Structure formats: structure tokens, C-alpha cells
Amino acid sequence: MDLLAQVLANGILLGGLYAVMALGLALVWGVLNIVNLAHGSFIMLGAYCSWHLFHYLHVDPFLGLPITAVVMFALGYGVQRGLLNLIVRAPMFNTLLLTFGLDVVLTYLAQLAFSADFRAINPGYAGSQVHWGPMVLPLVRLGAFAVALALTVGMWLFLLHTRLGRAIRATAQNLVAARLHGVEPRHLYALTFAIGIALAGTAGGLYGTVSQINPYIGASLTLKSFAIAIIGGLDNPLGVLVGGLFLGVVEALTTLYVGPTFVDVASFGILALVLIVRPTGLLGRTT
């Protein structure tokens, strides 16, 4: 039972990080109807941004997250206005093709800039642990989980209770009606994409504290984010959190009882099951 409790705790902590990784993808997909295949590359760039802040400027990785978010927000706004705005509301194939090309370019540029070496963000407390009953919880993973939880709840409150958040939700539901109420779609689309990329960059900064990074991690992180967004539902940040936690626990139990080589099989098996039983996601709207 102690081993099971430890595995479940590890799965929950991992699931929180998964949730914040998928939050930006779900926002962009739900509002702009763009399946951003370059999402994982933006997570990778956020990880490198945090790594450079820590390695060269000695900024604590958690204190540096707002800086990373601002840098990635500016990058996301520019990419959307200069490139992705050309294919907003275009057929899905066009968006997939363009974002796939963007993913390839970002990966190649990252390799040129940072090399293919593995790197990690290791603050002085990286080996610290918190003992809670029979469980041993790494301090860094606890911090990453706390940030992920705060970002998810904050995004939920932002979408519900701010003017910009309500405009984003209105545009996602009915573009014509939103325009009639004074919403300027081009600027709103750019802001939405920039917020999604800022969330991805923040997730990258958290990812760098718990795992190694290199320019090629983007593809696997995109697939993981895609699965979580589908499992949780695109129209509810809390659903993305539930999807991330659910997938983290499933992967942890699969590693314990089946083996680590079957983790991806279990993840995408759950994805297929959710699509069959509840296509809108665990907490998505059914109407």
C-alpha cells in the first residue's frame, strides 16, 4: 500500500505538469480552431529561456517563470499576427500543414542555437524532498504542481470573470455575434494565441526543472498535450487539469504494474476510449 500511495502521488504531480502543458493547446484549439503542431516546440523554447535565465543570470527557475511567460507571449503574438493569422478559420489541413512546418523550423533553429546536448535546470534545492506519511515528494515536483494548479485555476477565473476572457469565450462560441458586440477578431486571435504560447513557455520552464531538455522534445510533448486536451475537453481549463491528472495517474500505474515501455500504449488507449464514450472530453459540454 505504501508503494501504491507513492506511485499515485508521483502520478498526480506529473499530471499537474501535463495539465499546464496542454492548457495553451486547448485554448488555441478551442478559440482559433488551430491544432498547433508546433506547440511542443514552444514548450521547448520556454524551457531553454528558463535555462538561460538560470544558467547565465542565476535567476531561480520558479522566479524566472514570469520573465519566460512575457518573452513567449511576445513571440506568440508576433507569430500569430505575422503568420498564423493567414490561416485562421481556414480548412484544418491548412493549419496542420503550416504549424507542422513551423515546428520543423523552430526545432532546426533551436538545434543551431543551443546544440543537441541534453540540459537541465538544477537549482540548489533540486534534491530536496518532503516527507508526507509514507510518501516522499520531490520539492521541485511539488513546486511545479503548485504552479500548474495556480495557472489552471487562474485561467478558469480569467475566462469567466474578465472582459477579455468573456470576449475570448464569446468568439469561440459565435464569431459573428462577438463581432456585433465590438470584438476585433484579429487582435483577439493574436492575444489568445500569445496567452497560449505564454502558458506553453511556462510549462517548458517547469518541465526543465524535472526533466532534461533538448531541441527534439517538442514532438512528444505535442502528442501528450493533444491527448490531454481531448481527454479533458477543450472548453474548460478545469477539464484540462482533470485530464492531465487522470493521464498522469494512468501512466504511473502502468509503469508499476505493466512496465514503462507500455506507458504510451496506455495513454493513447485511454484517448481512444474517451473519444468513443465521451467525444467532448471528461468535462466538456455535451450540447
Side-chain angles (χ1 to χ4, degrees):
M1 292 300 295
D2 289 352
L3 176 60
L4 179 60
Q6 181 68 58
V7 169
L8 290 175
N10 291 340
I12 290 172
L13 295 181
L14 178 63
L17 179 57
Y18 280 173
V20 74
M21 283 169 43
L23 197 56
L25 177 70
L27 179 66
V28 170
W29 191 356
V31 177
L32 277 68
N33 195 34
I34 291 177
V35 182
N36 182 14
L37 297 183
H39 182 76
S41 290
F42 285 111
I43 295 176
M44 175 267 295
L45 291 178
Y48 273 111
C49 183
S50 290
W51 183 86
H52 277 79
L53 288 172
F54 173 74
H55 187 75
Y56 292 110
L57 301 179
H58 308 291
V59 178
D60 181 271
F62 288 95
L63 296 179
L65 289 177
I67 301 175
T68 298
V70 170
V71 171
M72 298 303 295
F73 180 92
L75 176 62
Y77 191 93
V79 168
Q80 203 285 332
R81 288 303 293 261
L83 183 63
L84 296 182
N85 195 56
L86 301 174
I87 48 90
V88 168
R89 303 295 174 181
M92 183 66 71
F93 178 77
N94 293 357
T95 66
L96 294 175
L97 190 62
L98 185 57
T99 56
F100 175 75
L102 181 60
D103 176 67
V104 173
V105 170
L106 291 178
T107 301
Y108 178 71
L109 292 178
Q111 181 186 357
L112 289 179
F114 311 126
S115 81
D117 295 340
F118 283 90
R119 306 183 187 190
I121 303 172
N122 293 313
Y125 49 84
S128 301
Q129 299 173 333
V130 175
H131 295 265
W132 186 26
M135 297 177 291
V136 179
L137 307 176
L139 184 60
V140 170
R141 287 186 176 270
L142 272 177
F145 178 81
V147 172
L149 187 63
L151 284 174
T152 305
V153 174
M155 178 57 61
W156 178 63
L157 294 174
F158 166 76
L159 291 174
L160 284 180
H161 299 295
T162 67
R163 182 179 178 86
L164 177 59
R166 289 192 292 269
I168 290 173
R169 289 167 50 224
T171 303
Q173 294 171 8
N174 192 319
L175 176 60
V176 175
R179 279 177 167 169
L180 292 176
H181 284 79
V183 174
E184 203 283 299
R186 291 184 60 186
H187 179 60
L188 186 69
Y189 286 159
L191 284 177
T192 302
F193 190 81
I195 292 171
I197 298 306
L199 290 170
T202 303
L206 297 174
Y207 184 85
T209 64
V210 302
S211 183
Q212 292 183 320
I213 60 174
N214 69 27
Y216 303 104
I217 62 174
S220 62
L221 297 181
T222 298
L223 290 174
K224 196 76 67 175
S225 300
F226 176 84
I228 294 164
I230 291 295
I231 291 172
L234 298 177
D235 53 10
N236 189 344
L238 297 184
V240 176
L241 177 62
V242 170
L245 295 176
F246 181 68
L247 196 64
V249 170
V250 167
E251 289 190 359
L253 292 175
T254 301
T255 301
L256 175 63
Y257 291 111
V258 183
T261 58
F262 292 92
V263 166
D264 288 338
V265 175
S267 299
F268 290 98
I270 292 295
L271 172 61
L273 182 62
V274 169
L275 286 173
I276 293 171
V277 176
R278 191 177 173 85
T280 57
L282 296 178
L283 295 186
R285 290 193 299 266
T286 57
T287 59

